[in-house]
Amino acid sequence: MDQIRHQEQVTRAYTDARDDVYRYLLLLGLTPPQAEEAAQEVFIRMYLALEQGDAIQNERGWIFRVAHNLAIDQRRRKEPLPIDPEMHLRLRDTARGVEMDLIERERMEELAAAWSTLSAQQRECLHLRAEGLRYREIAETMGISISSVREFLGRAVTRLKRAVHE
Amino acid sequence: MNSVAPHPDPDTLLRLIDEDLSPTESLAIANHLLGCGDCRDRMDAVRDALDGYARFHHDILKPAQPAPPAWRPLQFPQARRRTSRPAVWMLAAAAAIAAVVFIVSRTGNPSEVRAAELLHKAAAAEKSATPSKRHVQIRRRGRTLNWPARPQDDPALQAMFQSTGYPWRDPLSVSAYEQWRDALPKKHSEVRVMPAVMVVHTSTPAGALSDAALTLRSADLHAIACTLRFRSSGDVIEMAEVQEQPDFPALPPRAEPTIPHLPALATIADELHVILALHKIQADLGEPIGVERNGAHIEVESAVLNSTRRDQIREALSGNPIVELHFEGDPIIDDGTAQFAAADMPVGLTDAVERAVDRTYALRALARRFSPAAEAQLSGTDVALLKGIVRDHAAALGDAVHAIRRIMALDLDPSALPEPPSTETWRSIAENVPALAGQLDHALNSKAAATDAHDVQLSRLLLQLDHQARVLRNPR
């Protein structure tokens, strides 16, 4: 009975969060095929953990933490995919970009330029925050202290602030 | 009342928005905001940045990384269920030891027999060795725990360790490893023999840990390191014997090492030397470069893309064998237009403010990385090096403040500023200067509405920063 219940729980989580996990893995430097495989592996591990009787208190936090660990393991083996430094140029080509008014598009370009100067950890903190994780959950996901999360977010927001207000 | 309350720094405003402050702190800041228009403006600026990023995240980043068009359905494996809880394992451990030894001898699996024999010999050596005070450092990605435990240790890490069922009593020992290994219903062990050490690696299909590796010194089969890996999350815990602890009397130095040199855990002094090397090329001013101790190494991760800058960073760290340097992304070939580490005077107002802000953040990062407890582990020479970095940043901060004064043509009257208490340490000043620089940045951004009062506020901020920079040139 538990087995079926666990499979249903994991399938539900997989449907809800797989796209977010996939994008997070890309941010951490995995290639699209690696990210797709690792995203599946996250949910298989979740199922195994439930089957072994592990209590998963915060499902979303747990999923991102395991994704982080898988990405670190992958990156130790291979060179990561570059994070696109020309994001601001590509903005002009996105379908959504066409619908944006000029001011908003300029603001997005400024933000993209500022984003590209952030450290990998600052980006990761911002990304996880935007995915709804709290500071404690971000710290657990990345294996760093809460004060480091505050530091990374603080510095990142300082740079973004300048981009928005310039 | 609000006018005399300290202005919250931008980080605190961010934490207020993110509900990361205690109710008391939140209330105090909210009260301050009610009476302080400047801080309300700063709060709005933080909100604008966060809102802007949220739109960027959802409208730009996400569409730029489309998810796979069709996900494969999950293929659930046949999971092995726990037959008993860890606590029961522990109770059954003594009985299991005899049973497993018997099974090993019957199976005839050479690797199992070899591992069991080696552990048996090592356990006997451990029992007959002269008891001595051992100190073990336990690490999990940046968080550290000591054995025997100390009051400042992370209780969450200790709880996590103990949840594995791995023995906490003398965790880095052959007996602990044997106790864990022998309690496993199924396992596979291998022994790797290296020049100075032998490593017993055991993996198991059930239980909280997927595998564990114990490193024994070949000379006397003494356990010197152990790695545990969690099955579900892939998290790794590393244990290593540390020779010297600041809370205990230092061991007398040996004239001649009797065993081959083995890699020790990287220390705070090693971390300082890496920071210093980066500082010399001014790569500690907000460039995307992370420095973290990881086992015997200092990991330096950088998202710097410019090829010339990468070469400079490589060159700066090349003499340090324990540094593991990783760059993210393909380099962009330098076309000669990029500038780094400009040491001359700032040329414009924006440049000068940027430099001041960067220096204040660098000072605060230094204060946080090298806490008083960390500094206590440094030698006198290393403390001098640390303070030298503080002085450099302070001098550059002073130069930037001077440039702002010159560009803004502001006459500053030092008597307008009360002398700050002389008891301030460089760390307490370093904690506060980013807030001052943030206020200065904000005040200069509002210069379109400049008035005399505005100039007075600017002058006051510049004086405060100038004073702090001068105090920091002689850090205590």
Side-chain angles (χ1 to χ4, degrees):
Chain A
M1 276 310 271
D2 273 356
Q3 200 172 23
I4 294 169
R5 193 163 52 81
H6 291 153
Q7 288 186 3
E8 285 173 354
Q9 182 183 345
V10 173
T11 304
R12 205 163 42 241
Y14 178 60
T15 310
D16 289 348
R18 62 194 177 195
D19 288 357
D20 294 338
V21 170
Y22 172 81
R23 290 192 183 97
Y24 176 55
L25 290 163
L26 290 182
L27 176 83
L28 296 182
L30 268 57
T31 62
Q34 283 175 333
E36 191 173 345
E37 196 159 313
Q40 289 230 339
E41 177 67 19
V42 168
F43 294 94
I44 295 295
R45 288 194 182 201
M46 180 182 171
Y47 171 69
L48 288 172
L50 290 171
E51 281 291 280
Q52 283 176 6
D54 288 353
I56 298 178
Q57 306 286 356
N58 175 342
E59 202 173 84
R60 198 164 169 82
W62 190 95
I63 286 167
F64 276 100
R65 182 159 61 84
V66 173
H68 177 96
N69 287 337
L70 283 172
I72 298 297
D73 278 353
Q74 289 266 359
R75 280 171 38 182
R76 278 185 186 145
R77 285 197 290 272
K78 290 174 186 171
E79 277 299 304
L81 186 78
I83 295 167
D84 187 354
E86 302 301 324
M87 175 73 75
H88 59 289
L89 296 177
R90 216 170 51 201
L91 281 167
R92 299 190 176 96
D93 305 328
T94 60
R96 181 73 179 82
V98 173
E99 296 162 15
M100 283 178 187
D101 65 42
L102 194 62
I103 295 172
E104 177 69 351
R105 195 179 321 171
E106 277 177 5
R107 183 165 289 181
M108 289 296 114
E109 285 180 17
E110 292 288 348
L111 277 167
W115 181 84
S116 67
T117 68
L118 299 179
S119 72
Q121 286 160 313
Q122 289 169 346
R123 284 182 203 164
E124 193 174 347
C125 284
L126 275 177
H127 188 101
L128 291 170
R129 183 189 173 281
E131 289 298 329
L133 269 63
R134 310 293 301 250
Y135 286 19
R136 177 170 294 284
E137 293 159 1
I138 296 172
E140 283 169 3
T141 297
M142 295 175 64
I144 58 178
S145 65
I146 294 182
S147 59
S148 297
V149 172
R150 290 177 188 139
E151 172 76 21
F152 287 134
L153 281 174
R155 276 208 86 134
V157 169
T158 300
R159 284 185 182 247
L160 296 177
K161 213 164 53 179
R162 276 185 232 152
V164 168
H165 281 270
E166 266 174 9
Chain B
M1 190 174 74
N2 289 327
S3 59
V4 293
H7 297 287
D9 65 20
D11 290 2
T12 307
L13 295 174
L14 171 64
R15 290 178 59 201
L16 179 70
I17 293 168
D18 283 347
E19 298 172 7
D20 184 49
L21 295 172
S22 69
T24 316
E25 288 170 318
S26 300
L27 193 63
I29 309 266
N31 276 335
H32 176 87
L33 289 172
L34 281 174
C36 180
D38 279 353
C39 282
R40 282 201 301 276
D41 288 348
R42 279 193 279 275
M43 178 94 161
D44 287 344
V46 174
R47 274 219 181 86
D48 281 351
L50 291 172
D51 291 348
Y53 177 77
R55 294 198 303 281
F56 175 70
H57 184 84
H58 292 288
D59 296 345
I60 305 299
L61 278 180
K62 282 194 163 185
Q65 298 169 326
W71 284 96
R72 282 177 286 135
L74 286 175
Q75 300 291 318
F76 292 109
Q78 288 297 313
R80 290 178 187 277
R81 304 177 73 80
R82 268 184 204 148
T83 52
S84 57
R85 301 184 67 78
V88 179
W89 292 11
M90 300 304 294
L91 292 173
I97 290 170
V100 170
V101 168
F102 175 69
I103 290 165
V104 165
S105 65
R106 292 288 299 263
T107 57
N109 180 333
S111 63
E112 293 295 335
V113 174
R114 197 164 169 220
E117 280 175 1
L118 176 61
L119 288 170
H120 188 66
K121 279 184 193 169
E126 192 171 78
K127 274 183 195 158
S128 62
T130 316
S132 63
K133 261 196 169 180
R134 300 183 79 199
H135 306 294
V136 177
Q137 207 169 64
I138 302 168
R139 285 173 66 89
R140 178 187 164 252
R141 297 210 332 257
R143 289 157 70 189
T144 304
L145 174 69
N146 293 287
W147 186 91
R150 299 186 197 174
Q152 71 270 29
D153 282 347
D154 183 345
L157 184 56
Q158 184 171 341
M160 190 182 77
F161 186 98
Q162 288 174 315
S163 74
T164 63
Y166 198 91
W168 173 246
R169 188 165 176 254
D170 201 2
L172 179 53
S173 65
V174 179
S175 62
Y177 190 84
E178 267 198 313
Q179 191 182 341
W180 168 77
R181 182 180 175 277
D182 291 347
L184 301 172
K186 279 195 173 183
K187 61 183 163 287
H188 174 73
S189 294
E190 284 179 356
V191 178
R192 277 186 295 149
V193 180
M194 287 179 278
V197 296
M198 288 189 273
V199 180
V200 183
H201 180 253
T202 301
S203 55
T204 175
L209 298 174
S210 63
D211 56 324
L214 179 70
T215 305
L216 300 168
R217 192 161 57 202
S218 302
D220 55 2
L221 300 184
H222 179 68
I224 54 170
C226 188
T227 306
L228 314 177
R229 188 193 306 270
F230 283 87
R231 179 180 315 286
S232 57
S233 64
D235 280 353
V236 170
I237 292 179
E238 293 171 307
M239 289 185 265
E241 193 171 30
V242 283
Q243 296 291 325
E244 195 174 305
Q245 291 286 308
D247 290 1
F248 301 93
L251 297 173
R254 293 182 188 175
E256 281 295 323
T258 54
I259 54 164
H261 174 72
L262 293 165
L265 285 180
T267 64
I268 189 75
D270 296 325
E271 199 172 326
L272 173 68
H273 297 154
V274 170
I275 296 291
L276 179 64
L278 293 171
H279 172 72
K280 284 179 178 168
I281 57 165
Q282 300 198 10
D284 56 346
L285 298 175
E287 278 181 85
I289 301 172
V291 176
E292 194 175 337
R293 271 184 282 164
N294 190 354
H297 300 281
I298 303 282
E299 282 190 352
V300 179
E301 291 205 334
S302 171
V304 167
L305 295 171
N306 183 284
S307 57
T308 304
R309 190 55 166 165
R310 284 191 172 189
D311 289 343
Q312 290 171 352
I313 294 168
R314 244 183 236 113
E315 168 77 23
L317 300 174
S318 61
N320 193 331
I322 65 167
V323 169
E324 285 194 344
L325 175 62
H326 307 284
F327 286 107
E328 288 183 12
D330 287 339
I332 296 173
I333 303 303
D334 186 13
D335 59 3
T337 57
Q339 287 191 333
F340 309 103
D344 52 350
M345 288 293 284
V347 288
L349 185 62
T350 307
D351 186 31
V353 177
E354 283 268 337
R355 289 186 191 206
V357 169
D358 282 346
R359 293 292 174 171
T360 60
Y361 272 95
L363 281 161
R364 189 175 74 176
L366 211 56
R368 290 182 176 179
R369 187 183 287 272
F370 298 100
S371 63
E375 189 180 311
Q377 298 175 49
L378 295 175
S379 68
T381 313
D382 284 339
V383 170
L385 289 175
L386 172 62
K387 292 191 172 171
I389 303 176
V390 174
R391 267 192 291 276
D392 282 353
H393 287 313
L397 174 61
D399 287 348
V401 169
H402 178 75
I404 296 167
R405 285 167 59 176
R406 187 172 42 79
I407 296 163
M408 297 292 293
L410 286 171
D411 285 328
L412 302 184
D413 174 12
S415 65
L417 189 69
E419 279 292 311
S422 60
T423 52
E424 277 190 296
T425 65
W426 75 267
R427 284 188 187 80
S428 64
I429 295 173
E431 274 295 329
N432 293 327
V433 282
L436 278 177
Q439 289 172 34
L440 178 70
D441 187 26
H442 182 75
L444 287 167
N445 282 340
S446 322
K447 67 178 183 298
T451 59
D452 287 347
H454 183 262
D455 278 355
V456 169
Q457 188 201 357
L458 263 181
S459 303
R460 192 179 173 81
L461 285 167
L462 286 167
L463 272 173
Q464 280 180 298
L465 268 174
D466 187 46
H467 180 82
Q468 304 289 41
R470 273 187 281 123
V471 175
L472 284 170
R473 285 190 197 200
N474 187 18
R476 276 175 305 166

